[in-house]
């Protein structure tokens, strides 16, 4: 399993594999050798899986060269996984690394799912030039067939029952990202709306802090949300031809803030790859992804909408 398999199509990255497992034994039969072979080759290993997976792989807890993360927490926002989990690990090692990463699991909120698929597609672009091999488990016994089909479209290689095969459904990542660039559902509760320009940024921050405090967010979360919204609001009016719009509302478990501006976000990897330390440009959306519990982005031909959720 050390060599990367030869697969088609030719443009597909050969290091990003999906594991379709059915039960604990099947899960362990693939993940344990993957980790052990990496360690034997001197490759640091990141295991970022949901809580139950960490329990199955607890034999690696404390093993030199292995880092374990609970994806339920670390990957709560799928847009955080590349900059905050994967890039942070890959960039910290000059040698080849391995990753067991499970961003989709039974019971994960349906609202998260489109961002999860985009994440898996963007992995193929973000790490194309890095010495990394990734194995992504999918619970084939409990996940819907549509989920498995999406996994086949974002992973060039599929493993099932010890057999590794090229994914005939693999699709260029740009097409997958664009296919899930869908209009966001409208809020079903009362919404506060503020139209603003550059001169109104202080008003955006003040209104946001008041609403977040009223919604019951603790002070540290209010501060994080203020920082995130300020980054988005500033970007929305910095180079736009007209004003931007802030909308805020509450859902049963979250406060939702949305900013729509006339600038169009065309970089699919925006917010996923931290920029070099020598520049401040490009840090805003990365910071937003790191601070918030869920981030949705929807672009049209003449606008970009970014929706943030903070759990409460």
């Amino acid at each position: 399993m050390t060599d990367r398999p030869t697969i088609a199509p030719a443009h597909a990255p050969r290091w990003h594999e999906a594991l379709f497992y059915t039960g604990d034994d099947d899960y362990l039969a693939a993940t344990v050798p993957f980790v052990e072979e990496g360690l034997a080759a001197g490759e640091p290993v990141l295991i970022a899986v949901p809580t139950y997976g960490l329990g199955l792989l607890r034999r690696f807890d404390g093993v030199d060269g292995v880092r374990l993360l609970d994806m339920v927490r670390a990957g709560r926002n799928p847009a955080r996984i590349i900059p905050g989990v994967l890039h942070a690990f890959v960039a910290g090692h000059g040698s080849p690394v391995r990753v067991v990463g499970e961003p989709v699991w039974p019971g994960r909120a349906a609202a998260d799912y489109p961002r999860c698929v985009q994440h898996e597609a963007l992995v193929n672009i973000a790490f194309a030039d890095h010495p990394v091999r990734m194995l992504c488990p999918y619970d084939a016994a409990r996940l819907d067939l549509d989920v498995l089909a999406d996994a086949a479209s974002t992973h060039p290689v599929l493993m099932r029952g010890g057999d590794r095969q090229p994914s005939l459904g693999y699709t260029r990542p740009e097409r997958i990202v664009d296919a899930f660039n869908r209009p966001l559902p409208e809020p079903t509760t009362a919404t506060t709306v503020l139209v603003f320009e550059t001169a109104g940024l202080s008003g955006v921050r003040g209104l946001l802090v008041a609403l977040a405090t009223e919604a019951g967010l603790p002070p540290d979360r209010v501060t994080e949300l203020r920082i995130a919204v300020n980054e988005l609001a500033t970007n929305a009016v910095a180079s736009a031809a007209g004003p931007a719009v802030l909308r805020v509302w509450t859902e049963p478990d979250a406060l939702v803030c949305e900013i729509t501006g006339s600038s169009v976000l065309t970089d699919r990897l925006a917010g996923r790859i931290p920029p070099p330390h020598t520049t401040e440009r490009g840090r805003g959306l990365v910071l937003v992804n790191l601070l918030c519990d869920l981030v949705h982005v929807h672009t049209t031909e003449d606008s970009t909408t970014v929706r943030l959720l903070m759990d409460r």
Side-chain angles (χ1 to χ4, degrees):
M1 290 177 60
T2 302
D3 295 332
R4 294 180 176 181
T6 300
I7 63 170
H11 65 266
R14 303 175 180 182
W15 42 264
H16 191 200
E17 307 178 19
L19 165 65
F20 290 170
Y21 68 92
T22 54
D24 295 353
D25 290 343
D26 200 20
Y27 182 91
L28 292 171
T31 56
V32 170
F34 179 83
V35 174
E36 290 180 338
E37 290 172 7
L39 294 175
E43 300 172 357
V45 180
L46 170 65
I47 300 175
V49 297
T51 311
Y52 70 85
L54 290 179
L56 293 175
L57 296 171
R58 59 185 178 273
R59 71 187 69 191
F60 295 111
D61 189 13
V63 173
D64 188 36
V66 178
R67 185 183 183 195
L68 282 79
L69 288 177
D70 190 339
M71 190 65 95
V72 174
R73 293 177 58 84
R76 167 66 182 93
N77 174 19
R80 182 193 298 152
I81 299 174
I82 289 178
V85 177
L86 301 181
H87 188 273
F89 184 78
V90 173
H93 298 88
S95 60
V97 301
R98 293 194 179 207
V99 177
V100 180
E102 189 171 359
V104 180
W105 57 85
R108 176 149 198 171
D112 303 357
Y113 182 69
R115 308 291 84 84
C116 292
V117 182
Q118 288 182 319
H119 156 75
E120 287 280 49
L122 288 170
V123 162
N124 296 310
I125 305 174
F127 298 100
D129 298 323
H130 291 73
V132 60
R133 183 171 174 184
M134 298 187 187
L135 180 66
C136 302
Y138 282 78
D139 190 335
R142 297 194 293 159
L143 292 170
D144 291 341
L145 291 179
D146 287 347
V147 174
L148 300 183
D150 287 334
S153 73
T154 56
H155 294 78
V157 181
L158 304 180
M159 288 187 62
R160 189 194 295 265
D163 183 37
R164 178 186 287 111
Q165 294 291 336
S167 173
L168 300 181
Y170 179 74
T171 304
R172 287 188 179 275
E174 297 86 355
R175 292 183 59 187
I176 299 297
V177 174
D178 294 347
F180 282 86
N181 175 37
R182 301 167 180 172
L184 303 174
E186 283 297 306
T188 58
T189 59
T191 304
T192 300
V193 180
L194 177 66
V195 180
F196 65 94
E197 295 183 285
T198 302
L201 288 173
S202 61
V204 170
R205 293 189 293 269
L207 176 63
L208 193 280
V209 168
L211 293 175
T213 302
E214 181 182 343
L217 267 65
D220 60 330
R221 300 292 294 179
V222 172
T223 298
E224 291 174 345
L225 184 58
R226 178 183 59 79
I227 293 171
V229 170
N230 183 65
E231 290 287 342
L232 291 178
T234 302
N235 290 339
V237 296
S239 57
V245 179
L246 167 70
R247 298 200 299 174
V248 184
W249 66 94
T250 58
E251 294 182 353
D253 299 320
L255 179 70
V256 186
C257 304
E258 177 187 276
I259 291 181
T260 300
S262 59
S263 60
V264 179
L265 185 65
T266 58
D267 182 1
R268 297 180 182 87
L269 279 175
R272 308 300 175 113
I273 303 298
H277 293 295
T278 54
T279 179
E280 292 298 320
R281 294 181 60 85
R283 296 188 183 278
L285 195 51
V286 172
L287 184 61
V288 169
N289 284 333
L290 294 176
L291 291 176
C292 298
D293 292 311
L294 190 60
V295 178
H296 297 287
V297 178
H298 174 59
T299 60
T300 67
E301 293 181 354
D302 53 15
S303 69
T304 297
T305 297
V306 183
R307 182 176 294 181
L308 316 178
L309 282 79
M310 285 295 225
D311 295 340
R312 63 190 185 101

